[in-house]
Amino acid sequence: MAEDIQDVDMLETRVCLVGPDVQNNQALSRALQKLNLTVVKSATGEEYMTNSDDFDTVFVLAEFEGSGFEALHKSDLRSRVLGPSAVIQCADTGEALPTVQRPLYCSSMKDLILCFTGFRQKEKLSRLVDLVHFMGGSIRKDFSTKVTHLVANSTSGDKYRVAVSLGTPIMTEEWVHQAWQRRHLPAALATEEEMLKYKMQPFFCCMLSFHGFSKEDTDQMKELAKMQGGTCTPVGDPSSTHLVVDDSQVKDFPQHVDASKVYVVKQEWFWASIQIEARADETIYQFKRLETPARDMKPPLGRTPTSRGRKRPRLKETTALLAQDSDSDSPVFPARKRRSGAGAVNDAHAMMSMSGSFLDCTETPERVLDDGDLGLDDSPAPTPVPPTPQKPLSARHQRVLELTQTEKNYVNILQTIVRVFKEPLENRDQLGGPPLAAEEVKTIFGSIPEILDVHTKLRDSLAQLVADWSEERSIGEIICKYKPLLLKAYPKFVNFFEMSKETLQKCTRTQPRFHAFLKIQQSKPECCRETLADLLIRPVQRLPSIILLLTDILKKTDKSSPDHHAMERAIAAIKDVLDHINEDKRRTEGQVQMFDVVNEVEGCPADVLSSHRQFIGRVDVLELGGEHELCGKGEYLTLFLMSDLLEVSKKRHSMMSDVKSVFKSPGLLKAPAGPLKHVELFNLAHIKRVVDIRDTEECKNAFGLVYQAPGTSNEDVCLYMFTLLGEETTKRDWLRSLCRHMANTTCKADAENFLHSVNPEDVELDRSAILNTVGFNRIARGFSKKAKRVTRQFSFSKTPRRMINRAVSMVMSPARGPLQREGAETPLGDLQGARLASSVDLQSAMSPVSNLVTPKKGKSVSLGHSATKRL
């Protein structure tokens, strides 16, 4: 073989284009010119199928099928057969034509090693093998670590199990066919991301039934099963292959299910399959019937009814031990007094038969019981030693123990979050890769590791204090010691807790692998049946609970104790941490809302976003007009108050909302919903005065802003007047907040100096002006705009409407209608009484309505120069 390849390299390469399809391929012709190869053309290529000593002929065919391809492929010369894509790719990469013994159409499966499993039809398997070879791939009969992809026709078999354990991608036969369909694209690869949709789904050809779940959980699992290629069947269906059981609720098989013909698995199998994106091994998650041993209802020998009285002191002692706080799962009980005789023997055997129970705890479990332990010796029973009386705990000591125990529990919860959820999600070596991106994991868990580190140190300090307890020990000093660390760890988590919760909900809803991961992890005993969302809220609740515990300890601490003052400082320190968190959270939310304002308001200046600027609030107003107007009388506006700016935006609305507003009182008006458009941006330093217009029966919630543009004189001040809409914010609160931030911007101490109250008549504001503002004049403008718009829609040319009306009037009936001009006559007498529909002037038709609803020009609402100067 090596000699043949060497001989081929010594010969001149000649390319034979077989068939008109490749001969007319312009891209192929350019590639051959780039490769500088000799080109010949042939209809079948038979004349070049000779053993020439001068040329190494390479045949290029458009399709790898038919008699011509079979003749070239199976000839004794074993000539090289290529497809156009292979030649074009070689030209693009600057490589020589490949020296291969098999036909090569493209290189979409180059360097891929495939193995097949589950195919029973030899013809289908042979076709798939040929297609893989045509695309440059290799085939292995046995599965090994060198195999890059397993092409499967089922989710069972040894090859499938090994591929799952090694993390080898498992594909369907459709993957091979779709890769072959893209053979005409020279740069196409079978490993591209869009080809991953042809991976073998975990429940392929599986018939799933669910038992013991709630209706909501069953519906959810059925939907996920269908998404993962499975089919759902009722419980007991003969075609069912898997019965998924809620092992926390179900203890036995359904009566009509034959466990020998169906896989009965725990729900963890279902979620594990989705997580690893492959069918998990059923033997690992097999559900087993809980067999309860029959109990002997007869009373043990030696037990008499009178023994119950002797049991009561022992029950009290056991209960006291159970109530003690201990790090161990089971308390250590003192050895009972031994009894001689058969009763003692039976009791001893009974205790030995209870191995593993909650009460089977001894101080030396590894010691083997002898006859002396069973009471078979004749030596007299030893005299029992009376227990040493324990000194009762003080109330303060009990509260400190409670604080220490809750701190231990809290650290355990944080460790569960990190070890059970965070670290497995960050593991890059897990099957199928991480279920979430690194950014999403960081958003969900935030600063949980930093909080865990702080509270681990705090727990150890409290545990050491309890171990060496005395009433003189100081709890407050320990709490104050960790204040800086708490200030550093908590704000980052609390500020973005809502974002963390939303990200968790979104990922659970949209990513099945992550949803399955949560189900598996939450079923572990460390989680105590709590969800990740329930665990993540614990850091938000911990600091307030510490304040309550410290306050309780302070009540039990004598005022003469040196720890009394330290406890007060500790409580103040935790409150300072909470205040800092709340302030930082408010500041962060304000900055986040700044982005919302920029996104919501079209045309909002980008320089509104600043690290020192915060969002304060927003109100909807109705402009009352005056000598100076922003958008016009009766326009709906939205004011966004920031720490040093006031953004004014205009609400877009329809004419029908204006019609409805006519019949409403100004106090009942609501701003229409819709997008906003930027109008003006006021610097609070340039607002000279806030005018509080006193409420009357006709005028309510009105106020004004006296504004002086930078670089203008005092004679050029403007007064803008508005009416506050809605009931979410009162006028008093809004004006005070505005004045306070105006004072902060101008570095003035007294914010009340910016607020000035006037009567409506002082600013020439009366009832007629308010009613006009509410809607009548705006309806007139709306009808006028509508009429112009409709007239344009019915216009067929750019001819002015006057000329059209004049021409139409010449052919209209002499009977003058309401739109006919005076003195208009028609020369066509036979059209008397006719009306031409297209001649109706909609603009003129709407004019009576405009004249009817437009209010009479009354007293102006403008503010005179003298009134403005007084303000």
Side-chain angles (χ1 to χ4, degrees):
M1 181 66 69
E3 296 178 356
D4 295 341
I5 294 176
Q6 186 176 4
D7 295 341
V8 169
D9 293 338
M10 296 175 60
L11 298 177
E12 180 182 354
T13 302
R14 177 177 60 183
V15 177
C16 178
L17 303 180
V18 181
D21 293 337
V22 294
Q23 295 172 7
N24 299 328
N25 191 328
Q26 299 298 327
L28 178 61
S29 300
R30 291 191 297 268
L32 292 174
Q33 292 177 3
K34 189 175 180 179
L35 293 173
N36 195 21
L37 297 175
T38 303
V39 179
V40 295
K41 299 180 180 180
S42 173
T44 61
E46 294 180 357
E47 61 270 28
Y48 297 102
M49 294 174 59
T50 59
N51 193 358
S52 175
D53 296 334
D54 298 329
F55 294 98
D56 171 33
T57 305
V58 178
F59 297 92
V60 180
L61 283 76
E63 297 295 339
F64 281 10
E65 57 186 6
S67 57
F69 169 73
E70 295 294 336
L72 292 172
H73 175 38
K74 297 181 179 180
S75 65
D76 297 336
L77 298 178
R78 307 295 293 177
S79 301
R80 285 187 287 173
V81 180
L82 301 180
S85 298
V87 178
I88 295 174
Q89 189 173 16
C90 290
D92 293 339
T93 58
E95 300 176 356
L97 296 181
T99 303
V100 292
Q101 298 299 318
R102 297 191 183 96
L104 179 66
Y105 197 96
C106 62
S107 301
S108 59
M109 286 192 176
K110 183 181 179 181
D111 299 330
L112 298 186
I113 302 176
L114 276 63
C115 183
F116 291 88
T117 182
F119 293 90
R120 305 302 180 191
Q121 299 179 9
K122 187 176 181 180
E123 295 78 7
K124 179 188 292 188
L125 182 59
S126 299
R127 176 60 178 169
L128 292 174
V129 170
D130 290 340
L131 294 180
V132 172
H133 287 156
F134 293 164
M135 292 182 286
S138 301
I139 304 296
R140 295 290 184 273
K141 181 179 179 181
D142 299 325
F143 189 87
S144 65
T145 55
K146 296 182 179 180
V147 174
T148 60
H149 293 76
L150 176 68
V151 181
N153 197 31
S154 66
T155 57
S156 59
D158 295 337
K159 293 182 180 180
Y160 182 88
R161 294 299 176 198
V162 175
V164 171
S165 62
L166 295 178
T168 304
I170 304 174
M171 315 301 292
T172 61
E173 62 175 304
E174 186 65 20
W175 174 62
V176 179
H177 291 298
Q178 290 298 325
W180 178 248
Q181 291 294 331
R182 303 168 74 237
R183 65 187 181 275
H184 302 294
L185 303 176
L189 296 176
T191 55
E192 293 178 355
E193 185 176 358
E194 62 177 296
M195 301 296 290
L196 295 179
K197 61 184 177 181
Y198 300 107
K199 291 183 65 176
M200 174 69 71
Q201 294 180 313
F203 301 135
F204 177 76
C205 292
C206 292
M207 311 289 286
L208 305 179
S209 303
F210 302 94
H211 177 62
F213 300 94
S214 63
K215 184 179 184 303
E216 181 180 359
D217 292 342
T218 302
D219 295 340
Q220 182 186 35
M221 296 176 76
K222 286 182 178 180
E223 182 179 357
L224 289 174
K226 294 177 181 178
M227 292 174 57
Q228 301 298 325
T231 305
C232 299
T233 60
V235 177
D237 192 308
S239 61
S240 178
T241 60
H242 293 78
L243 175 63
V244 184
V245 177
D246 185 0
D247 51 303
S248 63
Q249 303 292 334
V250 178
K251 304 303 179 184
D252 198 356
F253 299 142
Q255 297 180 355
H256 48 285
V257 172
D258 187 359
S260 61
K261 298 181 180 180
V262 63
Y263 289 108
V264 183
V265 292
K266 303 176 184 178
Q267 60 171 327
E268 192 176 356
W269 171 86
F270 179 83
W271 301 115
S273 300
I274 297 178
Q275 182 185 355
I276 64 177
E277 295 183 314
R279 176 178 161 186
D281 190 358
E282 290 85 359
T283 58
I284 302 177
Y285 306 98
Q286 184 177 3
F287 176 79
K288 297 181 180 180
R289 180 186 286 108
L290 181 62
E291 298 180 358
T292 304
R295 295 182 180 180
D296 189 3
M297 300 304 295
K298 297 181 180 180
L301 297 177
R303 185 72 54 87
T304 59
T306 58
S307 62
R308 183 176 182 182
R310 296 194 299 269
K311 286 285 185 179
R312 290 180 180 175
R314 188 182 304 161
L315 178 61
K316 292 182 179 180
E317 182 182 355
T318 303
T319 306
L321 289 173
L322 289 173
Q324 291 182 4
D325 292 329
S326 176
D327 295 334
S328 60
D329 294 335
S330 301
V332 178
F333 293 92
R336 295 183 180 180
K337 185 189 303 183
R338 291 177 297 179
R339 294 197 304 256
S340 60
V345 176
N346 291 334
D347 287 350
H349 285 289
M351 291 178 63
M352 295 176 63
S353 65
M354 292 171 59
S355 178
S357 67
F358 182 76
L359 298 178
D360 189 14
C361 298
T362 60
E363 296 181 359
T364 56
E366 69 281 356
R367 186 167 58 89
V368 180
L369 297 177
D370 54 14
D371 292 342
D373 295 323
L374 297 179
L376 299 181
D377 57 342
D378 298 331
S379 60
T383 304
V385 179
T388 305
Q390 297 182 355
K391 184 179 179 180
L393 302 178
S394 64
R396 183 170 181 267
H397 191 187
Q398 293 177 2
R399 302 304 187 276
V400 173
L401 289 175
E402 182 180 0
L403 173 63
T404 306
Q405 186 61 43
T406 56
E407 189 67 19
K408 292 179 180 179
N409 297 338
Y410 179 58
V411 171
N412 291 337
I413 291 175
L414 296 178
Q415 290 175 345
T416 299
I417 295 175
V418 173
R419 297 173 183 175
V420 178
F421 294 98
K422 185 176 183 295
E423 292 179 354
L425 284 174
E426 295 174 338
N427 182 17
R428 299 292 172 182
D429 298 331
Q430 58 182 303
L431 294 178
L436 290 182
E439 296 79 9
E440 294 172 330
V441 175
K442 185 176 180 181
T443 302
I444 292 175
F445 295 97
S447 60
I448 286 290
E450 292 88 342
I451 297 176
L452 173 60
D453 183 62
V454 175
H455 282 275
T456 301
K457 297 177 181 178
L458 179 58
R459 177 203 62 183
D460 295 341
S461 299
L462 291 175
Q464 184 178 1
L465 180 140
V466 170
D468 303 331
W469 173 254
S470 67
E471 293 295 336
E472 290 75 19
R473 299 299 298 271
S474 176
I475 306 296
E477 295 296 337
I478 295 178
I479 302 298
C480 294
K481 175 183 175 181
Y482 293 101
K483 175 184 175 181
L485 296 178
L486 295 174
L487 280 173
K488 184 179 179 181
Y490 269 95
K492 293 185 291 185
F493 181 81
V494 178
N495 290 344
F496 297 98
F497 176 71
E498 293 298 328
M499 184 183 300
S500 171
K501 185 169 63 174
E502 292 175 0
T503 305
L504 177 61
Q505 294 174 350
K506 177 183 176 182
C507 294
T508 304
R509 185 176 60 256
T510 59
Q511 303 192 30
R513 287 193 62 210
F514 177 66
H515 180 63
F517 169 81
L518 290 182
K519 288 291 186 180
I520 295 174
Q521 302 302 99
Q522 289 167 179
S523 62
K524 294 184 176 180
E526 299 95 316
C527 297
C528 299
R529 298 188 178 275
E530 291 195 5
T531 64
L532 178 59
D534 297 333
L535 297 176
L536 286 176
I537 203 174
R538 298 301 181 87
V540 181
Q541 302 169 341
R542 180 54 184 167
L543 292 183
S545 65
I546 289 180
I547 292 181
L548 296 178
L549 292 171
L550 293 179
T551 303
D552 203 8
I553 295 176
L554 180 62
K555 293 178 181 179
K556 304 301 180 182
T557 303
D558 190 82
K559 292 185 178 181
S560 60
S561 174
D563 193 33
H564 190 277
H565 180 63
M567 288 296 302
E568 292 178 342
R569 290 190 293 108
I571 295 174
I574 300 298
K575 289 183 178 180
D576 289 343
V577 174
L578 288 176
D579 292 340
H580 178 78
I581 292 174
N582 293 334
E583 179 63 24
D584 196 68
K585 185 175 185 297
R586 186 185 64 82
R587 188 183 305 110
T588 303
E589 290 177 349
Q591 293 176 352
V592 172
Q593 288 175 331
M594 294 291 298
F595 288 92
D596 297 337
V597 171
V598 175
N599 294 330
E600 184 179 2
V601 180
E602 178 185 352
C604 183
D607 55 2
V608 169
L609 297 175
S610 178
S611 59
H612 72 277
R613 186 170 293 125
Q614 300 179 21
F615 177 81
I616 307 302
R618 62 181 289 176
V619 292
D620 296 321
V621 298
L622 186 71
E623 187 172 9
L624 296 178
E627 185 177 358
H628 304 92
E629 297 178 350
L630 292 172
C631 296
K633 189 184 304 180
E635 289 291 344
Y636 290 103
L637 304 177
T638 298
L639 307 182
F640 295 92
L641 177 60
M642 288 158 268
S643 55
D644 60 338
L645 296 177
L646 182 67
E647 163 68 20
V648 182
S649 59
K650 176 183 178 181
K651 283 185 174 290
R652 298 178 178 177
H653 50 83
S654 62
M655 187 182 68
M656 291 306 300
S657 62
D658 300 335
V659 177
K660 296 178 181 179
S661 66
V662 177
F663 305 100
K664 292 185 178 181
S665 171
L668 300 178
L669 289 176
K670 294 183 178 179
L676 301 175
K677 186 177 181 180
H678 170 72
V679 175
E680 192 64 56
L681 184 65
F682 292 146
N683 192 315
L684 296 186
H686 300 150
I687 300 178
K688 301 302 179 181
R689 191 81 65 185
V690 177
V691 182
D692 181 11
I693 303 175
R694 297 186 180 95
D695 292 344
T696 62
E697 294 182 359
E698 295 82 9
C699 177
K700 294 184 178 181
N701 293 332
F703 68 96
L705 301 177
V706 178
Y707 176 75
Q708 182 180 359
T712 60
S713 62
N714 294 334
E715 305 295 328
D716 298 329
V717 296
C718 304
L719 175 63
Y720 303 106
M721 291 185 291
F722 312 93
T723 294
L724 195 65
L725 303 179
E727 300 178 353
E728 293 81 6
T729 304
T730 63
K731 184 177 73 170
R732 177 185 179 87
D733 295 339
W734 164 251
L735 296 183
R736 285 194 172 186
S737 177
L738 178 60
C739 292
R740 183 172 65 256
H741 289 89
M742 289 171 56
N744 295 338
T745 304
T746 56
C747 298
K748 294 183 179 180
D750 192 1
E752 297 294 335
N753 291 336
F754 288 95
L755 187 61
H756 185 71
S757 299
V758 299
N759 295 321
E761 55 270 15
D762 294 336
V763 290
E764 302 180 2
L765 194 64
D766 56 9
R767 177 179 176 82
S768 60
I770 297 175
L771 291 178
N772 292 344
T773 301
V774 169
F776 283 101
N777 56 339
R778 300 181 67 252
I779 294 177
R781 291 200 305 269
F783 274 117
S784 177
K785 293 180 181 178
K786 283 290 184 181
K788 292 180 181 179
R789 190 178 300 118
V790 175
T791 302
R792 286 195 298 268
Q793 294 295 332
F794 281 92
S795 176
F796 297 97
S797 66
K798 297 184 179 180
T799 306
R801 190 170 57 253
R802 293 178 304 175
M803 299 180 63
I804 295 178
N805 293 340
R806 186 180 304 168
V808 171
S809 64
M810 298 176 62
V811 296
M812 288 184 61
S813 170
R816 182 168 52 88
L819 302 178
Q820 188 174 356
R821 299 166 181 250
E822 292 290 341
E825 297 181 358
T826 175
L828 301 177
D830 56 346
L831 294 178
Q832 188 175 9
R835 295 289 302 274
L836 189 60
S838 62
S839 65
V840 178
D841 187 354
L842 295 178
Q843 175 69 19
S844 302
M846 299 303 296
S847 59
V849 180
S850 300
N851 296 333
L852 177 63
V853 300
T854 302
K856 296 181 179 180
K857 186 174 181 181
K859 191 174 182 180
S860 176
V861 192
S862 62
L863 184 65
H865 171 66
S866 59
T868 305
K869 189 174 182 180
R870 288 196 302 272
L871 293 174

